[in-house]
Amino acid sequence: MKQKLLIIYCFFLCVHHVNSQTDWELLNPKPTASTGKDIEFVSNSHGYIITSNELLETFDAGLSWQKKQNISSGNDMNFYQSTGYIVGNNGYVLKSTDTGTSWMQINTGFNDAFNTVNIIDDNNIIFSSANNLVKSSDGGNTWEILDIPNVTVVKTFFVNSSTGHAACEYGKMLKTIDGGQNWQTTHDINTLPSDFFTVYFLNENLGWSSGEHSSMYRTTNGGESWFEVTGSIQAVYDFHFLDVNNGFATGEDGTTLKTTNGGMSWTSIGFQSGFIYNTSMYGIYFLDNENGFATGARGRIIKTTDGGSNWTHHSPTYNDINNFQIFESGIGYAQVGNSYFKTLDNGNNWYLIGVVDHYSYCSGFYFVNENVGYSIGGGTTSISGDVFKTTDGGITWIQLNITVWEGLSSVFFIDENNGFISGGSNQTKVLKTANGGITWSEVLDEKFRAIQFLTNDIGYGMSNYDHRIYKTVDGGSSWNYVFESDEEIMSFHFTDESNGYLVGDNGLCYKTNDGGYTWQWLSIPYEYYTSVKFYSNDFGYIADEVGKLYRTSDGGLTWTYLTTHYGTKHIELTDNYIFKFGSNGRIYRSEAVLLNASDYTLGKEIIIYPNPATDYINIKLDSYPSVDYIELYNVTGSLVDGISPMITDDLIYMDLSDLAQGFYTLRVNFKNEKSLSAKFILK
């Protein structure tokens, strides 16, 4: 019993430097990954964008955007002189009287999901929902509600306090001339699908509307009659006109249009080649004929200074990040399609360094160091995979003299010369090079989804087909499988020659302590896991296909849920940070450093006594900067409130008499922004 207690004591006394990971920073796309719903400018340089939960702001005509504040809900935004309103679901309304500098939530007394803000003047404000108008004629002091019967309203536009138009589902366009007391149908489409998307008026006579799937209509008589405009290819979600001739529109799959004849015909000014799924744009605003902006899916913000001939994207990419690797120096790489992006500052800023001319598509990469890397190409049953190499940090790539029929799926290099690639379909194979890719030899008839070597001799491969983990102890000359599962294995990671983890479908999670020869099943929440990475034998992370992240500090015996960033199903670790990345260009970062006891002399930096403790502990510090504050976490990772440590220059005293028995982690944060942690037992 004493021997077991000593083992537990030594384990919990190990010194760790680890953050609680309550804060995550979005590195890309900035400043948001949420869909932009509307964009408005209050001056030539000062503008706003709303998402479903954020308000973004620019002061330099869109050269930079920052998150101004969180909002509870955002569906539409509008300004009239210095007055602005934002509306959302459940009756949520924000009002500003200083051109958006400050906002206050107001209560109209109604809980509708508002879809439109109409500001006629300082006194007359009209909100609309699916079946109602909510109006004020005294600047928002009092509100009344009016029914819009027998329809579902999608969008409204009021040209004055009396005359307004409502675009509805099932092809109906309505008009009121008495402020919403009564409505008449001005357009009724009998075919399906025919839902309207939006309606926009420049003046009392000239207006435009759009509907499913790519219908566009124009009126010149105040909506009394609508005429279809031919030539629209995709659905339009928003209009913006400068005058009776010059206007712009944006919508489905990135469609962006321009007219110079009042909307009788439109010219494409798209920001991308063709129409691409999940690139729809929902807000467009032009300051003049040359300078304009649009926002939409994936948090995309774009700007033009030449009337839409060319567009600048606010973030380097909004497309899926397929692979990601970063070094302790802060230099890292992200692969998006065949394009490579690079960071020099731990992901704070990214820039495009080039495109690799793979025959088909890039299926992965591996950098040996900050300069030397290999990029592999995928393929199909009729297309071969190829290999490119860079020695200048991705600036230039040279194709190597090797192709693999039906494409490549994985690559790993031990050093600049010794490496492996694997792929194929009907002709699966693992190939090895000992001279930096000049020549290759086949070492196994198998297709690996991932490869990892711990030494020159010991390595592991994850089979793409038969749900197996393979191992080599002779540098890849021979391989034997050491694990087989009925479920698909999606990721594995070894911390050293003996200790490793694997995860996969249907809650699959195992660990090994003997180099893969025996495996222990781990009980974890039932998810479809896609990534596993460990700092040490005990401390690591797993992510699932949705983007949920779990952490363990006891070798997988218990797991703590941390956060969900949807679409970020992959993990990368450095000594200083944990990164999550994946769909729509999303990269998140949290400070998460673990230093094992081997990194410091145990007891030199921080000593807890007595341990196990009963009513109190002393924390002895040795030659370290001044303490800033103390945190205490229980075994589930939750912060313990109400502690009042007594801090002197080299000793901390903490009263624990009110705490429950169990395992605790003490974190000492220093004024130089460093921290140390240690675990102890409270009996």
Side-chain angles (χ1 to χ4, degrees):
M1 181 67 182
K2 290 182 178 179
Q3 185 178 13
K4 290 183 180 180
L5 183 59
L6 179 61
I7 293 173
I8 294 174
Y9 169 80
C10 292
F11 171 77
F12 278 93
L13 194 60
C14 288
V15 177
H16 292 153
H17 174 185
V18 62
N19 288 26
S20 59
Q21 288 173 296
T22 56
D23 297 323
W24 288 86
E25 182 180 3
L26 177 66
L27 303 180
N28 192 79
K30 291 180 178 178
T32 184
S34 300
T35 296
K37 292 190 172 184
D38 194 16
I39 180 169
E40 297 283 338
F41 273 74
V42 294
S43 71
N44 284 341
S45 59
H46 192 188
Y48 297 95
I49 290 174
I50 60 165
T51 72
S52 60
N53 57 2
E54 298 160 312
L55 177 63
L56 313 179
E57 187 174 32
T58 180
F59 291 102
D60 53 14
L63 293 177
S64 62
W65 290 87
Q66 301 82 32
K67 183 171 78 169
K68 179 177 176 62
Q69 66 186 68
N70 292 322
I71 61 177
S72 295
S73 181
N75 292 330
D76 194 35
M77 170 176 57
N78 204 354
F79 283 88
Y80 173 81
Q81 297 178 352
S82 61
T83 300
Y85 285 89
I86 295 171
V87 297
N89 298 330
N90 300 313
Y92 184 74
V93 179
L94 291 178
K95 179 181 180 180
S96 173
T97 57
D98 51 13
T99 61
T101 301
S102 60
W103 296 84
M104 60 179 178
Q105 186 174 351
I106 65 171
N107 183 14
T108 65
F110 306 100
N111 294 322
D112 286 19
F114 296 123
N115 53 46
T116 314
V117 178
N118 294 278
I119 309 177
I120 313 304
D121 51 42
D122 286 333
N123 292 317
N124 293 282
I125 302 99
I126 304 174
F127 305 151
S128 64
S129 65
N131 304 109
N132 299 301
L133 291 184
V134 174
K135 301 177 56 179
S136 176
S137 58
D138 56 8
N141 293 317
T142 60
W143 298 86
E144 65 171 329
I145 189 168
L146 300 175
D147 292 339
I148 309 177
N150 304 319
V151 293
T152 301
V153 175
V154 177
K155 199 76 173 177
T156 58
F157 198 103
F158 275 75
V159 296
N160 54 50
S161 59
S162 299
T163 304
H165 305 266
C168 309
E169 293 181 358
Y170 300 108
K172 288 187 179 294
M173 187 69 67
L174 306 182
K175 180 178 179 179
T176 180
I177 57 174
D178 56 10
Q181 297 289 340
N182 298 281
W183 295 85
Q184 64 174 357
T185 301
T186 57
H187 194 62
D188 194 354
I189 303 171
N190 295 321
T191 59
L192 294 176
S194 58
D195 291 352
F196 275 101
F197 295 132
T198 191
V199 58
Y200 178 94
F201 273 77
L202 181 66
N203 52 45
E204 292 187 9
N205 294 314
L206 189 58
W208 300 265
S209 62
S210 64
E212 293 180 320
H213 281 285
S214 57
S215 301
M216 186 188 298
Y217 301 90
R218 181 175 184 262
T219 181
T220 58
N221 58 4
E224 294 298 322
S225 56
W226 293 87
F227 302 94
E228 187 167 3
V229 178
T230 59
S232 178
I233 300 174
Q234 302 284 10
V236 167
Y237 299 144
D238 194 31
F239 294 96
H240 185 81
F241 272 76
L242 298 172
D243 52 48
V244 295
N245 292 315
N246 296 287
F248 302 87
T250 195
E252 184 181 18
D253 296 339
T255 186
T256 314
L257 306 171
K258 178 179 182 178
T259 181
T260 57
N261 58 11
M264 290 187 290
S265 62
W266 295 82
T267 302
S268 175
I269 53 170
F271 57 86
Q272 60 192 4
S273 178
F275 304 105
I276 300 174
Y277 172 73
N278 200 16
T279 63
S280 295
M281 306 296 282
Y282 299 97
I284 191 166
Y285 193 99
F286 269 72
L287 299 171
D288 51 46
N289 282 323
E290 303 298 326
N291 296 282
F293 312 84
T295 185
R298 306 181 183 182
R300 190 184 304 271
I301 305 171
I302 57 175
K303 176 182 179 179
T304 181
T305 57
D306 56 11
S309 297
N310 297 280
W311 294 89
T312 301
H313 294 252
H314 186 63
S315 290
T317 184
Y318 297 92
N319 297 322
D320 294 354
I321 297 176
N322 306 116
N323 292 280
F324 181 99
Q325 188 178 352
I326 197 162
F327 295 92
E328 303 300 335
S329 63
I331 295 176
Y333 299 89
Q335 172 237 324
V336 180
N338 283 6
S339 299
Y340 277 85
F341 295 84
K342 187 173 184 176
T343 180
L344 303 176
D345 54 9
N346 280 306
N348 290 312
N349 297 283
W350 294 87
Y351 61 96
L352 178 67
I353 54 174
V355 178
V356 181
D357 190 23
H358 283 292
Y359 183 74
S360 181
Y361 62 91
C362 182
S363 56
F365 74 87
Y366 188 85
F367 272 79
V368 182
N369 53 46
E370 286 89 338
N371 295 311
V372 179
Y374 296 83
S375 181
I376 59 174
T380 63
T381 54
S382 60
I383 297 177
S384 295
D386 44 17
V387 182
F388 284 75
K389 180 179 181 179
T390 181
T391 58
D392 57 10
I395 298 174
T396 59
W397 295 84
I398 299 174
Q399 186 173 0
L400 303 180
N401 186 27
I402 178 68
T403 58
V404 174
W405 192 250
E406 300 164 326
L408 289 163
S409 57
S410 62
V411 56
F412 187 93
F413 269 73
I414 303 169
D415 52 43
E416 292 187 26
N417 294 314
N418 295 281
F420 297 83
I421 56 175
S422 181
S425 180
N426 295 302
Q427 303 176 40
T428 59
K429 58 187 64 179
V430 179
L431 300 173
K432 177 181 179 180
T433 181
N435 52 20
I438 298 174
T439 59
W440 299 82
S441 59
E442 184 174 347
V443 295
L444 181 66
D445 177 15
E446 184 58 74
K447 181 178 182 179
F448 288 155
R449 178 181 292 176
I451 304 169
Q452 183 191 5
F453 270 75
L454 284 305
T455 68
N456 288 334
D457 294 321
I458 298 177
Y460 298 87
M462 184 177 74
S463 171
N464 201 59
Y465 291 125
D466 54 16
H467 307 169
R468 291 176 174 177
I469 298 292
Y470 286 77
K471 180 178 182 179
T472 178
V473 295
D474 55 12
S477 296
S478 61
W479 297 78
N480 295 289
Y481 73 88
V482 293
F483 181 86
E484 185 175 23
S485 171
D486 292 333
E487 304 295 341
E488 187 169 9
I489 306 169
M490 299 301 295
S491 178
F492 77 96
H493 183 237
F494 277 77
T495 58
D496 54 39
E497 300 172 29
S498 301
N499 296 280
Y501 293 81
L502 64 84
V503 296
D505 291 351
N506 294 306
L508 181 70
C509 186
Y510 282 82
K511 68 180 290 186
T512 179
N513 300 121
D514 59 7
Y517 295 108
T518 61
W519 293 81
Q520 175 188 354
W521 175 78
L522 299 177
S523 177
I524 59 175
Y526 184 87
E527 311 285 0
Y528 281 69
Y529 292 99
T530 52
S531 187
V532 56
K533 283 293 178 71
F534 269 70
Y535 275 112
S536 66
N537 299 337
D538 298 309
F539 195 93
Y541 302 85
I542 54 176
D544 77 346
E545 62 180 358
V546 175
K548 294 179 182 178
L549 185 68
Y550 295 86
R551 179 184 65 197
T552 182
S553 58
D554 57 10
L557 298 179
T558 60
W559 296 89
T560 301
Y561 167 77
L562 296 179
T563 187
T564 298
H565 296 118
Y566 290 101
T568 57
K569 59 183 180 180
H570 303 293
I571 307 168
E572 177 74 352
L573 303 179
T574 68
D575 278 350
N576 296 314
Y577 300 106
I578 173 173
F579 298 85
K580 294 184 67 191
F581 65 95
S583 63
N584 302 342
R586 294 174 183 168
I587 305 173
Y588 290 89
R589 183 183 71 186
S590 178
E591 188 178 353
V593 184
L594 178 143
L595 299 177
N596 294 320
S598 60
D599 296 317
Y600 294 105
T601 302
L602 187 61
K604 179 179 180 181
E605 301 286 349
I606 180 173
I607 301 172
I608 296 179
Y609 65 93
N611 190 359
T614 53
D615 297 324
Y616 71 94
I617 56 171
N618 292 304
I619 301 98
K620 175 71 174 177
L621 304 177
D622 184 12
S623 301
Y624 219 85
S626 299
V627 174
D628 190 10
Y629 60 97
I630 308 295
E631 294 173 303
L632 187 64
Y633 297 88
N634 60 26
V635 71
T636 67
S638 299
L639 184 66
V640 178
D641 295 325
I643 60 170
S644 300
M646 297 175 58
I647 304 173
T648 62
D649 290 338
D650 60 353
L651 187 67
I652 303 171
Y653 171 83
M654 289 182 60
D655 184 355
L656 308 176
S657 56
D658 292 333
L659 298 184
Q661 296 181 6
F663 297 124
Y664 289 87
T665 299
L666 179 84
R667 181 180 177 191
V668 183
N669 298 278
F670 300 95
K671 291 183 179 179
N672 66 351
E673 298 184 353
K674 300 293 184 180
S675 63
L676 286 173
S677 296
K679 294 181 182 291
F680 66 89
I681 303 171
L682 181 61
K683 295 193 301 182

